[in-house]
């Protein structure tokens, strides 16, 4: 029986199983089995003939892709907010390849990718689903474009299709560390109370993966899915905006209700409604930071900022210096900062200072001691030493003289 049939069988069994304390272990095991088969299913995609995927050159400071069912308005949106025209039409599957456009926003270039519509079962290979979803895995932000008339079920279905290939939308990577040992069995350690899993359940899951000796350290109250994700490892945690298009076809009350949900953006391409807010949310979710550099005695160069991304713990002077020039780090002495991150203007800071958007920095390098200067320095230090030695000797002679008297 092929992998797809096995997946189908397990999904049916999970749907049939009552969710309660007694079946929890069994369901956990089924989830692990499912995750294993899904990973197997994905393997061929990467080994498939090269031409299959949508090889689109990365461009600009960030990559955003549009995922959605056919005819929700992805191509109309690309043509509306970038200079690129992408054919739009009422029939489904108008777009058959990946069409890149560029959003110029806040001195940055954000690549926006239009993709073919996907349908249920996309992750299992229906239509060009797997190639479309692979682009989502390689993006910094996913725009899930939805037709405002269609119910929430579309959003849930698309989330499930992305989940099946290991994409976790708007979730943080769970803080779990798995160490495989030679002996000692499976040990579950946690720095907080675990209310959703226990050691026996975790042991079952690990034995499903034929791992019998491991230490699992959890720093938050994790679920069994998080444990499976940490074993599988190939998960991608991506920010996602739910873009509800065609709001010209629903009532104001419905628009208001949709707009209030987190990560939702309501737009109408036909009436060009709310594009500014969409661009603002894209910018916010990409976590891009513009840093302007200035030289001593000159005004900052406002035309061409450094564009950095907000890492997990912010963006530091170090990442800015590395972007200017890799070798600059070793000559770095200190920097002065003007802007939101400076306590006073200008503030003298080191490599670990966390920068804010639109800060201005000036970099100071260590004073280059040329070899001649080094010689003279050395000379100075040696003569100093000589003086010190001579002084010590004079003092000693003096003492000896005093003694004789
Ligand atoms: N009422 C309304 N119709 C829209 C809006 N935006 C797009 N459409 C229509 O929706 C249909 C589909 O638009 P497309 O841009 O081709 O949608 P798509 O998601 O790119 O479709 P595929 O490429 O087939 O996946 C077209 O007839 C558009 O004119 C909108 O804001 N309001
Ligand atoms: K269409
Ligand atoms: Mg299209």
């Amino acid at each position: 029986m092929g992998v797809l049939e096995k997946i189908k069988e397990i999904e049916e069994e999970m749907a049939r199983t009552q969710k309660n304390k007694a079946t929890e272990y069994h369901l956990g095991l089924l989830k692990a089995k499912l995750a294993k088969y899904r990973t197997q299913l994905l393997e061929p995609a990467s080994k498939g003939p090269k031409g299959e995927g949508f090889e689109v050159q990365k461009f600009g400071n960030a990559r955003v892709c549009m995922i959605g069912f056919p005819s929700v308005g992805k191509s109309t949106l690309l043509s509306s907010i970038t200079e690129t025209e992408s054919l739009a039409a009422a029939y489904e599957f108008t777009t058959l390849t990946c069409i890149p456009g560029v959003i110029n926003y806040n001195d940055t270039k954000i690549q926006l990718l239009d993709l073919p519509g996907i349908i249920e079962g996309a992750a299992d290979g229906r239509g060009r689903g797997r190639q479309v979803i692979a682009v989502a895995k390689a993006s910094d932000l996913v725009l899930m474009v939805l037709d405002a008339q269609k119910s929430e079920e579309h959003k849930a279905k698309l989330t499930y299709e992305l989940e099946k290939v290991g994409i976790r939308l708007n979730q943080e990577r769970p803080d779990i560390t798995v160490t495989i040992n030679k002996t000692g069995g499976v040990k579950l350690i946690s720095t907080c109370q675990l209310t959703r899993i226990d050691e026996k359940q975790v042991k079952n899951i690990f034995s499903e993966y034929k791992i019998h000796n491991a230490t699992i350290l959890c720093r938050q109250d994790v679920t069994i899915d998080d444990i499976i994700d940490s074993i599988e490892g190939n998960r991608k945690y991506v920010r996602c905006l739910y873009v509800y298009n065609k709001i010209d076809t629903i009532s104001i009350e419905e628009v208001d209700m949709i707009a209030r949900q987190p990560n939702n953006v309501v737009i109408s391409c036909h009436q060009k409604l709310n594009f500014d807010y969409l661009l603002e949310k894209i910018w916010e979710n990409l976590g891009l930071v513009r840093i302007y550099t200035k030289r001593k005695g000159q005004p900052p160069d406002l035309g061409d900022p450094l564009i950095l991304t907000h890492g997990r713990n912010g963006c530091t002077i170090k990442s800015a210096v590395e972007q200017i020039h890799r070798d600059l780090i070793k000559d770095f002495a200190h920097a002065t900062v003007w802007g939101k991150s400076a306590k006073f203007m200008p503030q003298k800071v080191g490599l670990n200072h966390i920068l804010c958007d639109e800060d201005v920095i000036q970099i100071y390098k260590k004073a280059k001691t040329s070899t001649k200067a080094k010689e003279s320095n050395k000379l100075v230090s040696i003569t100093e030493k000589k003086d010190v030695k001579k002084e010590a000797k004079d003092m000693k002679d003096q003492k000896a003289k005093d003694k004789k008297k």
Side-chain angles (χ1 to χ4, degrees), residues 75 87 95 114:
S75 305
L87 180 66
T95 311
D114 183 16

Side-chain angles (χ1 to χ4, degrees), residues 318 321-322 325-333 351 366:
K318 187 164 182 280
V321 171
E322 276 162 353
H325 196 287
R326 228 186 2 269
D327 301 346
L328 194 52
I329 286 278
K330 61 182 184 341
D331 304 338
F332 177 85
L351 284 175
K366 285 176 196 136

Side-chain angles (χ1 to χ4, degrees), residues 70-76 88-89 93-95 117 245-246 248 268-270:
S71 283
V72 291
K74 301 181 292 297
S75 305
T76 315
F93 301 109
T94 314
T95 311
N245 185 28
K246 309 195 184 182
D248 48 290
S268 161
C269 292
H270 275 189

Side-chain angles (χ1 to χ4, degrees), residues 4-5 24 83 100 105 119 160 191 215 219 229 260 266 291 301 312 371 375:
L4 265 176
E5 287 75 20
E24 201 178 359
E83 271 90 53
Y105 189 75
I119 45 178
Y160 182 51
T191 57
T215 321
R219 289 194 185 80
D229 280 353
R260 289 176 188 283
V266 289
I291 301 299
D301 168 9
R312 262 178 103 97
T371 37
E375 282 310 307

Side-chain angles (χ1 to χ4, degrees), residues 20-21 45 161 237 267 285 310 335 368 388:
N20 56 46
K21 205 66 195 133
E161 290 305 324
Y237 294 83
I267 63 166
N285 277 274
H310 228 277
K368 249 205 167 344
V388 167

